[in-house]
Amino acid sequence: MLLIACPWCGERDETEFHYGGQAHVAHPADPHALTDAEWGAYLFVRDNPKGEFAERWVHSAGCRRWFNVVRHTVTHDISAVYPAGQPRPNEQGEGTA
Amino acid sequence: MTVDGFALAHLRRSPLGHLADRFAASSVPGPGGVRLRELPFLTQLNLRLDPTGPAAARAAEALGAPLPTGACQAAGTGALRVLRLGPDEWLVVGPDGAAPTLGDTLRQALGEEPGSVVDVSANRTTLELAGPSARPVLEQGCSLDLHPRAFGPGRCAQTTVAKVQVVLDQLDDEPCYRLLVRDSFAQYLADWLLDAAGESQAPLLASQSAGQSGGNAMKR
């Protein structure tokens, strides 16, 4: 079980949270200008890194707030927790806002 | 409570009203004891506003208690309790029947500021778990650190107890906890708490019945 530090409530069990997929997937500025392939890529194609991954979580059994977590997909180490809407903390220069 | 002039209060049924006898039977007085009861029909108002805006100060003044400023903090007395649920969200818990007046007061305090005051009294019922053994009973199903070094009076939390979502509020050092639970989960949580209390109280009850008093043995 992961121990996730909700930015509001503090450290809680993983069972209090729900997963929200990859973070920082921006909605296209003009969806009508996209081809079907580009729209499909926006909807369905996500990164699948072996390593650190910025993802969204919601504290559904607690404060019900969404926030972002940087989690290592192999070790489950959580290296950063930050509020939704903020850019990913850029530690090794590999992060993208 | 009236609708078109008809009094409805006598028609109300609290989710755990039928368990009052079992709550009473499971309560163990004295050191190491634990008491469980339902506080039905408490007024609950969900208050959302900008904590830094002018409405926050007006709301605090209207309530006669400061809005808790820190995360997961609670303020006020047992009669009127203000729990901070989120960065811009509070739960005001008051006595039965206070919803209309309290709601109007808060709406006036909110004024034209962005925010909301919603009566959610029917959303949850309240279980009160108190007594020197209340913490060990609760700890059987709650993963939060409830030790006084981490949790105490003036603290509240939204978490799970026995996998059920609750708003947990500690009122005093005895300790006395309030568990605000959805009506539809209340029966399950009450059964679970009765069972957990029975488990932790069993040695105490055995010594009581083996010894002299044996007055308030649990009938389970």
Side-chain angles (χ1 to χ4, degrees):
Chain A
M1 169 118 53
L2 299 180
L3 199 60
I4 299 174
C6 166
W8 181 254
C9 301
E11 290 191 337
R12 298 294 178 86
D13 284 352
E14 180 188 353
T15 49
E16 293 190 11
F17 298 85
H18 278 99
Y19 185 65
Q22 182 176 350
H24 309 301
V25 179
H27 190 269
D30 182 7
H32 297 291
L34 265 54
T35 65
D36 283 355
E38 286 169 335
W39 181 248
Y42 159 68
L43 285 183
F44 303 117
V45 179
R46 295 290 179 265
D47 297 342
N48 186 22
K50 182 176 182 181
E52 292 204 324
F53 187 42
E55 53 198 17
R56 303 159 74 225
W57 287 81
V58 60
H59 194 187
S60 41
C63 59
R64 308 192 308 281
R65 262 67 186 177
W66 284 92
F67 58 96
N68 297 330
V69 169
V70 177
R71 179 181 60 94
H72 197 287
T73 53
V74 178
T75 62
H76 288 306
D77 278 343
I78 292 173
S79 57
V81 176
Y82 52 103
Q86 284 190 7
R88 173 174 171 170
N90 204 339
E91 282 175 53
Q92 287 101 29
E94 58 174 317
T96 51
Chain B
M1 186 195 290
T2 58
V3 171
D4 297 334
F6 293 99
L8 295 177
H10 69 286
L11 294 175
R12 291 195 301 184
R13 296 284 182 275
S14 78
L16 302 175
H18 61 292
L19 291 180
D21 291 345
R22 284 180 62 197
F23 289 153
S26 74
S27 293
V28 181
V34 65
R35 307 182 305 277
L36 185 62
R37 63 171 175 154
E38 186 197 14
L39 305 172
F41 309 124
L42 289 188
T43 288
Q44 294 160 62
L45 294 171
N46 188 278
L47 173 67
R48 298 198 71 166
L49 49 77
D50 177 1
T52 59
R58 289 202 298 264
E61 200 178 328
L63 288 169
L67 293 179
T69 49
C72 302
Q73 286 188 351
T77 61
L80 187 71
R81 195 89 174 139
V82 188
L83 315 174
R84 189 151 195 198
L85 301 186
D88 59 356
E89 186 176 8
W90 290 264
L91 186 71
V92 181
V93 184
D96 181 18
T101 50
L102 202 55
D104 286 344
T105 312
L106 285 171
R107 266 176 222 106
Q108 275 177 14
L110 189 60
E112 295 299 309
E113 296 288 315
S116 66
V117 179
V118 182
D119 182 2
V120 293
S121 305
N123 194 3
R124 307 182 186 92
T125 188
T126 306
L127 278 157
E128 186 184 80
L129 182 71
S133 286
R135 181 159 68 89
V137 169
L138 202 54
E139 278 170 342
Q140 293 178 59
C142 180
S143 64
L144 274 189
D145 186 0
L146 298 175
H147 190 275
R149 74 179 160 239
F151 201 85
R155 291 293 307 272
C156 68
Q158 297 171 88
T159 186
T160 53
V161 172
K163 298 179 185 171
V164 175
Q165 232 172 300
V166 299
V167 180
L168 181 67
D169 175 20
Q170 184 170 349
L171 281 112
D172 61 33
D173 275 321
E174 189 188 12
C176 172
Y177 299 100
R178 275 185 186 174
L179 293 88
L180 285 76
V181 60
R182 301 278 166 121
D183 287 356
S184 50
F185 287 100
Q187 168 89 51
Y188 165 77
L189 184 64
D191 281 339
W192 187 91
L193 283 169
L194 284 165
D195 186 61
E199 208 162 285
S200 77
Q201 299 297 294
L204 201 68
L205 289 164
S207 69
Q208 273 186 4
S209 54
Q212 62 292 4
S213 64
N216 206 346
M218 189 174 313
K219 300 172 181 73
R220 292 194 75 227

